[in-house]
Amino acid sequence: MKSDWRKSAPPIEIAQEVLKETEQETAIRFLVDLLQGETSNKDEVAWLLGQINPGDQTAIAFLVNEIQNYADCWIDCWMHRQKLDKLWQIDPSNESIINFLVEIIQTIEAGEMMLAVADSLAKFDPRNEAAVAFLDKEIQDQEDNFFRWLFAYSLGKIDPGNKLAINTITQFLKNLEDELHSYQASLINILKENSIIDLSEFYDNQINVQDKVINHASSD
């Protein structure tokens, strides 16, 4: 008696799903091999691996290792920003990545890379307590106004609406306005003293315009 193989065979839909899984596994193995080889554009390979297999640990480990080479990145960090963005796209809730970003915030010299990491951490874990506490303390302990501004900007990214960040940035901008006002006034005085042209009217108009601009900014 012949057996009816149709009754025992899996449905076509199940067979198609098995095929998809097999194709995915093959693709994952291929991309992992590329990451471990001498292939160029490995960032894109890691990103693609993460898209095919969200949360892929090989892809995450590769990008984290790349980002850890941030020691010389103080000004031009666009490549690191791209790596950070790819990490977020692979796994936006990964706890180990969040801890990694907080560690960078706590150890790197204030600069462009800190701002890049703050932008990324704001996506992964807004209002991260460890990062907020660290930046809060740095702002209060830091004497250099420029570095206080960098810490405050990073804090404002991670914790929108933070009063310390807002007050620090506001004061920094006010100081810049005061310094600009003082510099322009000094320059005009020098011109008045060394010019045969009467610059008094020009000087008075400049001061009036600057005062109006500053008063308008303060009232907004």
Side-chain angles (χ1 to χ4, degrees), residues 4 25-26 34 62 83-84 140 157 159 165 168-169 172 183 190 209:
D4 190 349
E25 290 177 2
T26 302
L34 286 178
F62 169 79
K83 291 177 175 44
L84 289 165
Q140 298 188 58
K157 280 288 185 179
D159 186 15
T168 302
I169 294 174
F172 179 79
Y183 173 77
I190 293 173
V209 169

Side-chain angles (χ1 to χ4, degrees), residues 7 21 42 47 62 76 81 88 139 153 175 179 207:
K7 294 181 179 180
E21 292 177 4
K42 287 189 176 182
W47 176 83
F62 169 79
D76 186 8
R81 285 183 180 272
W88 184 74
I139 292 171
Y153 183 87
N175 290 341
E179 289 178 12
I207 297 299

Side-chain angles (χ1 to χ4, degrees), residues 31-87:
L31 292 171
V32 169
D33 288 342
L34 286 178
L35 272 183
Q36 296 173 347
E38 299 299 325
T39 307
S40 59
N41 300 322
K42 287 189 176 182
D43 286 2
E44 297 301 324
V45 174
W47 176 83
L48 183 57
L49 178 57
Q51 298 307 298
I52 294 175
N53 186 33
D56 187 276
Q57 293 304 303
T58 302
I60 291 172
F62 169 79
L63 290 170
V64 166
N65 183 65
E66 290 286 296
I67 296 168
Q68 283 177 329
N69 298 320
Y70 57 72
D72 297 327
C73 177
W74 203 89
I75 299 176
D76 186 8
C77 293
W78 68 271
M79 291 182 66
H80 285 75
R81 285 183 180 272
Q82 289 184 329
K83 291 177 175 44
L84 289 165
D85 192 49
K86 286 180 172 62
L87 266 182

Side-chain angles (χ1 to χ4, degrees), residues 69-122:
N69 298 320
Y70 57 72
D72 297 327
C73 177
W74 203 89
I75 299 176
D76 186 8
C77 293
W78 68 271
M79 291 182 66
H80 285 75
R81 285 183 180 272
Q82 289 184 329
K83 291 177 175 44
L84 289 165
D85 192 49
K86 286 180 172 62
L87 266 182
W88 184 74
Q89 293 179 46
I90 290 173
D91 191 349
S93 60
N94 189 296
E95 191 69 28
S96 63
I97 297 177
I98 293 172
N99 293 335
F100 168 65
L101 296 176
V102 172
E103 180 182 352
I104 295 180
I105 290 283
Q106 294 173 336
T107 56
I108 194 173
E109 181 181 356
E112 181 67 19
M113 188 60 185
M114 171 176 279
L115 302 183
V117 173
D119 283 338
S120 186
L121 187 57

Side-chain angles (χ1 to χ4, degrees), residues 5-25:
W5 62 270
R6 298 182 192 82
K7 294 181 179 180
S8 59
I12 294 298
E13 291 81 3
I14 295 179
Q16 289 174 333
E17 289 301 317
V18 171
L19 181 59
K20 287 180 181 178
E21 292 177 4
T22 304
E23 291 175 342
Q24 182 184 38
E25 290 177 2

